[in-house]
Amino acid sequence: MKDTMANNIMGRIKQGDVRMRPKWHFVATSVIAALVTGLFAFVMAYAMSLAYLALRIQLGDRPMYGARFKLDTLINEFPWVLVVFVIIACAALVIHLKRTSRLYRLRPSVLVFGIVLTSALLGLLLTISPLGVIDHSAQQSGGHGRGYGRSLHAQ
Amino acid sequence: MDDANIVARVTAGDADAYRHIIAKYHAPLVRYAMVIVHDPDIADDVAQEAFIRAYQGLRGYNPRFAFSSWIYRIAHNVAIDIVRSHKDLPIDAEDSLIVDDKTAQRLDKEFTARHVSSCMAALPIKYREPVSLYYLDHKSYAEIGDILHISVSVVGVRVNRAKQKLRKICSERGVRS
C-alpha cells in the first residue's frame, strides 16, 4: 500500500499534476496580512479622530461650533463600508496568523485584542505624525483643533 | 538524512527525495488518520492528500517547526475536513484503533490492549486525538500542541481528562486491569 501510494504521488509530481506553490505565494499572504493591519490602523485613526472631537465638544467650555461642524462632517464622510471590510479582514487575519505562526497558542480574544492594540498604536502614530496634520485651513486660522481631531478628515 | 535536509533537497528541485518523506510518514499518518476517520481506505486517502498538500506547501514550511508536527497538522486538517463532509462516518466506531502491548502498558497498566482500543474509540474526538498522539505516536505535549494548535497546558488537560474518561468507559464496559 505504501509503495503504491508513493508511486502514485511521485507520478503525479513528475507529470506536473502536483506542483509546489512558489515562494512569492507565501510572501504575498504575509504582505496582505501587513496591509490589513495598516488599513485597520487607518480606520482606528479615523475613529480616534471622531472620539477626540466628541470629547472636546463634551469637555469644552465654549459652544465649539467648529468642532461640532467637523464632527458632523467626519461622521458623514466616515467610510462605513471600510469598517465592515476591516472587521472581515481582521477575522481573516486572525485565522491566517493562527494557521501560519505559533500565535495559535494565544486565545482568539487575546489575539484580536493584540491586533486592535497594535492598530490603535499605529493609528495614534499616524494621527500625531505630520502625515495626519495637513488641515491647512485650521493652521491658517490659528491652529485651533490641530491634533487628533482634525488630522485624517483633512486627507 | 533528517527531514530538514530532505525538505531542502526537494525545494531545491530534487523531487525524488520526497519519496523518503512518504516512506517515513506513511504508516504514522495512516494510523493517526484512523484515529479520526475509523476507516482504513479513507485513512489512506487522508494520508495521500496530506502528502500532496505538504508537497504543494513545502516552500511555506517554517523550519523552526518540527516537520513531523507540520505534516501531522496537515493530516489533521484533511481528516477533519473529511469528517465534516461525511456525516455518516462512524466517529465512535469500535475496534478501529490498533494499540500494541507497549502502548497498553504505558496507559498506566490499567487496561488490557484488547479493550483499550475499543474504549479509546469511544472517546470524543477532542480527547481521542491528543491521547492517541501521546500514547500511540509517542509525541510530546509541545508537539501535540503544534499539531492540534492548542496550548501545551490544554494538551495536558485533555490527556488527563481523556484518561479519566477512559477509566470511566472501561469500567462501564467491565474492563478490569
Side-chain angles (χ1 to χ4, degrees):
Chain A
M1 187 66 93
K2 182 171 75 180
D3 289 339
T4 311
M5 184 189 289
N7 290 335
N8 183 19
I9 294 169
M10 294 312 295
R12 290 178 66 184
I13 289 171
K14 292 272 174 66
Q15 286 170 3
D17 292 342
V18 177
R19 291 178 186 174
M20 268 187 273
R21 289 195 194 95
K23 188 76 181 172
W24 64 260
H25 171 90
F26 302 100
V27 175
T29 38
S30 300
V31 169
I32 288 168
L35 285 176
V36 166
T37 308
L39 193 63
F40 200 18
F42 177 81
V43 172
M44 289 294 285
Y46 208 113
M48 285 168 76
S49 298
L50 281 178
Y52 180 77
L53 263 181
L55 201 66
R56 275 182 57 210
I57 292 167
Q58 290 297 319
L59 300 178
D61 52 357
R62 291 169 293 154
M64 312 291 281
Y65 294 120
R68 285 176 198 277
F69 175 75
K70 289 286 182 191
L71 182 62
D72 287 343
T73 312
L74 271 174
I75 290 172
N76 289 336
E77 291 179 359
F78 201 101
W80 297 105
V81 176
L82 197 63
V83 175
V84 175
F85 174 76
V86 161
I87 291 169
I88 294 167
C90 187
L93 183 62
V94 169
I95 293 167
H96 172 73
L97 287 175
K98 282 174 79 71
R99 276 189 177 182
T100 58
S101 69
R102 293 198 167 182
L103 290 174
Y104 63 80
R105 290 175 177 173
L106 300 174
R107 288 180 184 176
S109 55
V110 175
L111 199 53
V112 169
F113 179 75
I115 291 171
V116 170
L117 192 67
T118 307
S119 303
L121 286 173
L122 282 171
L124 183 65
L125 285 174
L126 190 63
T127 308
I128 61 177
S129 72
L131 262 179
V133 188
I134 55 171
D135 190 339
H136 301 294
S137 62
Q139 288 169 2
Q140 285 165 3
S141 63
H144 295 298
R146 176 188 167 94
Y148 306 156
R150 316 182 68 81
S151 55
L152 289 169
H153 161 61
Q155 296 175 355
Chain B
M1 199 184 335
D2 65 3
D3 294 340
N5 283 334
I6 298 172
V7 170
R9 276 178 56 186
V10 176
T11 51
D14 181 8
D16 282 328
Y18 197 64
R19 197 179 281 276
H20 295 293
I21 294 286
I22 299 171
K24 184 175 178 181
Y25 287 103
H26 176 265
L29 288 192
V30 170
R31 185 177 59 218
Y32 174 54
M34 276 289 288
V35 171
I36 303 171
V37 299
H38 294 300
D39 184 303
D41 293 331
I42 297 177
D44 226 47
D45 291 344
V46 168
Q48 176 159 326
E49 183 61 25
F51 284 125
I52 288 170
R53 286 195 198 176
Y55 181 82
Q56 288 171 329
L58 215 52
R59 288 200 176 104
Y61 160 65
N62 185 345
R64 284 183 300 168
F65 290 76
F67 182 80
S68 65
S69 301
W70 186 70
I71 201 162
Y72 266 76
R73 175 68 192 171
I74 293 171
H76 164 89
N77 287 338
V78 174
I80 293 297
D81 285 349
I82 287 177
V83 166
R84 282 178 184 156
S85 60
H86 293 78
K87 300 284 183 191
D88 54 330
L89 274 177
I91 299 299
D92 292 331
E94 295 191 4
D95 301 327
S96 55
L97 294 172
I98 304 154
V99 180
D100 56 31
D101 291 341
K102 185 183 165 194
T103 303
Q105 284 173 359
R106 288 190 63 194
L107 281 168
D108 297 337
K109 296 180 179 176
E110 289 186 30
F111 312 113
T112 62
R114 188 163 63 89
H115 288 102
V116 166
S117 64
S118 64
C119 293
M120 273 183 71
L123 280 174
I125 200 163
K126 174 181 170 184
Y127 298 112
R128 197 164 67 228
E129 271 195 277
V131 85
S132 67
L133 284 167
Y134 186 67
Y135 288 112
L136 305 185
D137 292 292
H138 312 300
K139 300 280 184 195
S140 67
Y141 279 11
E143 287 173 312
I144 297 170
D146 283 341
I147 294 165
L148 301 180
H149 277 198
I150 52 179
S151 67
V152 171
S153 58
V154 173
V155 173
V157 168
R158 286 193 188 173
V159 169
N160 284 325
R161 283 189 187 158
K163 283 162 72 176
Q164 289 169 9
K165 285 179 182 291
L166 266 177
R167 286 192 188 97
K168 191 180 173 192
I169 292 166
C170 287
S171 67
E172 283 171 0
R173 294 182 179 193
V175 179
R176 300 277 177 218
S177 56

